Amino acid sequence: MILRRYFDSMAGRLFLFLLVGVVGSSSLALGLADIRRKADLEHINIVRLVDRVQDLVSLINSAPKPLRAQMLSEGILGLRPLKGSERIVGPDPEFSRVLASRLDPSSRAQKAVPRTCIQPFRTSFYAQLSCWVISTRLADGSSIVLVALSPRTDTFDLPRLDPVFLSILTLTVSVLAFLASRMAAAPLRDLSRAARELGRDLDRSPLPERGPYEVRDALRAFNLMQAKLRDHVVERTRILASITHDLQTPLTRLRLRIEKVSDPALRSRLIDDLGGMLALVRQGLDYHRGNELEEPFVRLALDSLLDSVVEDAAEGGRTATLVRRSGYDIEGQPRALQRCLANLLDNALKYGGAAEVSATVEAGAVCIRIRDFGPGIPTEKLESVFEPFVRLETAQPPRGGVGLGLTIARALALKSEAELVLVNHPKGGLEACLTLRRGLIPSETVASQASAA
């Protein structure tokens, strides 16, 4: 499964392409070089045989006539007279060309079956030889026919690669191909990781523009897109903040004038409508501040922060309890994390009537769970409620708000490098799960108690 996933990636495919390509081309090059080497050896062997024929012809031409017959019958090393049992296969153009250039132009060479050139037949021996039937002329114009024997050099089969050599070649090419594929795929891997993180943090640092020019162009385009998206979001939130801020003054004047309405029922309805408008203005400003909020990460005593948030939420008789502490400290943005937890707890109390808060450590992260005892949310809408101005008012009457509480909570969670999800509790109600992973260490209080024990 891991290998299949790796070879399905760009790095794996590039690695396989380089490995097969380099090993295959190296093996083919070695085979062609071996064929060329054997062809050169064949040519050298032909030249050497022609030298012997030329030496024999020169000796015969210079010898007295009584000795010529004896020399022809005995021959010299590798050359002997024709006996008639040799079976001709066909002409040898290369041998004939060299022979004609060194001796009489009518000289020619023909290939013969090696086993017919050796008497008696020895199969284990003739298979290693090549045989030619050579005809040429002497100085007096008489013709002679000779049989030439030589070790075989005309086999052009692909060479058998040495397993040790092939193993070393494969290992070396594998390492180089793996490093090359990682180096080639690294910019794309960084780009994909940056694209995933872009949705969580538009203010992240731009990617360094390095590498080949195609990669630099892609990175430059990505950084430009990020800058334009950030400018668009900033402009949108700034417009929202400006509108909501400017609405506060006329709404305040309107509240003062409503107090002068003599009809109590009408005055009550107008005040309720005005309260909804003021809530919209306040949440709009909170949404803007949540996007604009910039603060450093510091070490936070998580349990103390949870105690404070729960105590603030429980004011006014509302039921909010901290049922479990984590015993850990984290790194986070204090104001952002406090506002995120406050929004989640306020949402739980508003729609569930009561809330329980617990913090547990799971797989190297702190999971803060805020559970209410309300009707919950349909499973298909658990994600959509994080979108701005989305409100789920079904059977129960409207509870106020404009649908920005969970939107602000998730935006603040992302700023704290946390993950926020909603799930329906198995025993009823909705549960908000905030997962914090940065800088998780045991708190000093817990550590001191453990050392004392």
Side-chain angles (χ1 to χ4, degrees), residues 300-316:
L300 297 175
L302 182 59
D303 293 338
S304 298
L305 178 62
L306 292 176
D307 284 329
S308 174
V309 172
V310 171
E311 288 177 4
D312 292 342
E315 292 180 356

Side-chain angles (χ1 to χ4, degrees), residues 72 80-83 110 133-136 143-147:
L72 284 173
R80 65 170 178 79
L82 185 69
K83 295 183 178 180
Q110 294 176 298
V133 175
I134 301 170
S135 60
T136 186
S143 299
I144 61 171
V145 180
L146 302 171
V147 175

Side-chain angles (χ1 to χ4, degrees), residues 28-323:
L28 180 60
L30 288 174
L32 294 176
D34 189 73
I35 291 175
R36 180 63 181 271
R37 178 184 61 84
K38 291 177 179 179
D40 292 340
L41 289 175
E42 176 72 10
H43 180 74
I44 293 172
N45 188 48
I46 289 174
V47 172
R48 186 170 62 248
L49 288 175
V50 171
D51 288 340
R52 292 180 184 174
V53 174
Q54 188 177 19
D55 291 342
L56 180 60
V57 170
S58 298
L59 287 174
I60 294 175
N61 286 333
S62 60
K65 287 186 178 182
L67 294 177
R68 289 185 179 183
Q70 182 180 357
M71 295 178 65
L72 284 173
S73 62
E74 294 179 358
I76 59 175
L77 182 62
L79 294 175
R80 65 170 178 79
L82 185 69
K83 295 183 178 180
S85 61
E86 296 81 4
R87 191 170 67 193
I88 305 298
V89 175
D92 188 331
E94 177 67 14
F95 204 153
S96 299
R97 183 186 63 79
V98 178
L99 195 64
S101 65
R102 302 277 293 274
L103 296 172
D104 187 80
S106 61
S107 302
R108 62 175 183 168
Q110 294 176 298
K111 290 183 178 180
V113 179
R115 65 184 179 85
T116 63
C117 300
I118 303 171
Q119 297 294 336
F121 298 157
R122 288 178 291 175
T123 57
S124 61
F125 181 63
Y126 75 76
Q128 303 174 15
L129 295 177
S130 296
C131 180
W132 292 268
V133 175
I134 301 170
S135 60
T136 186
R137 291 180 180 276
L138 298 176
D140 59 4
S142 59
S143 299
I144 61 171
V145 180
L146 302 171
V147 175
L149 294 172
S150 175
R152 291 189 62 185
T153 58
D154 59 347
T155 175
F156 290 95
D157 297 332
L158 288 177
R160 294 182 180 178
L161 294 177
D162 185 357
V164 176
F165 169 78
L166 188 59
S167 300
I168 295 175
L169 176 64
T170 304
L171 179 61
T172 305
V173 174
S174 298
V175 173
L176 293 177
F178 178 74
L179 295 177
S181 62
R182 281 182 59 87
M183 182 175 63
L188 294 179
R189 188 168 55 249
D190 294 341
L191 184 60
S192 63
R193 182 168 55 249
R196 288 192 299 269
E197 295 175 355
L198 184 63
R200 296 193 295 267
D201 184 13
L202 277 175
D203 296 322
R204 64 185 306 280
S205 301
L207 291 173
E209 298 175 7
R210 58 178 178 231
Y213 73 88
E214 297 92 347
V215 175
R216 292 198 304 270
D217 287 344
L219 296 176
R220 190 177 300 113
F222 180 84
N223 290 335
L224 180 61
M225 178 189 68
Q226 177 182 341
K228 288 184 176 181
L229 286 174
R230 183 171 56 246
D231 293 342
H232 172 71
V233 172
V234 169
E235 181 182 3
R236 186 189 65 174
T237 53
R238 186 179 293 116
I239 291 174
L240 175 62
S242 300
I243 294 174
T244 53
H245 183 272
D246 293 342
L247 280 174
Q248 289 189 94
T249 301
L251 288 176
T252 303
R253 290 198 301 266
L254 186 59
R255 174 62 185 267
L256 294 174
R257 292 170 182 170
I258 289 175
E259 293 293 340
K260 298 179 181 180
V261 175
S262 58
D263 186 349
L266 177 60
R267 183 172 62 249
S268 177
R269 290 195 299 269
L270 291 174
I271 289 175
D272 289 342
D273 292 339
L274 186 61
M277 295 174 66
L278 287 172
L280 172 61
V281 170
R282 284 194 298 269
Q283 290 202 23
L285 287 173
D286 288 342
Y287 183 58
H288 170 69
R289 295 191 189 105
N291 285 315
E292 294 293 323
L293 183 63
E294 293 293 340
E295 56 179 331
F297 282 83
V298 297
R299 182 177 175 182
L300 297 175
L302 182 59
D303 293 338
S304 298
L305 178 62
L306 292 176
D307 284 329
S308 174
V309 172
V310 171
E311 288 177 4
D312 292 342
E315 292 180 356
R318 298 189 298 180
T319 306
T321 55
L322 178 61
V323 297

Side-chain angles (χ1 to χ4, degrees), residues 344-345 347-356 370-376 425 427-432:
L344 293 174
L345 197 51
N347 191 78
L349 291 171
K350 182 185 298 182
Y351 292 95
E356 288 182 351
I370 301 176
R371 180 197 172 190
D372 64 39
F373 296 88
H425 197 275
K427 296 182 180 181
L430 185 68
E431 188 173 70

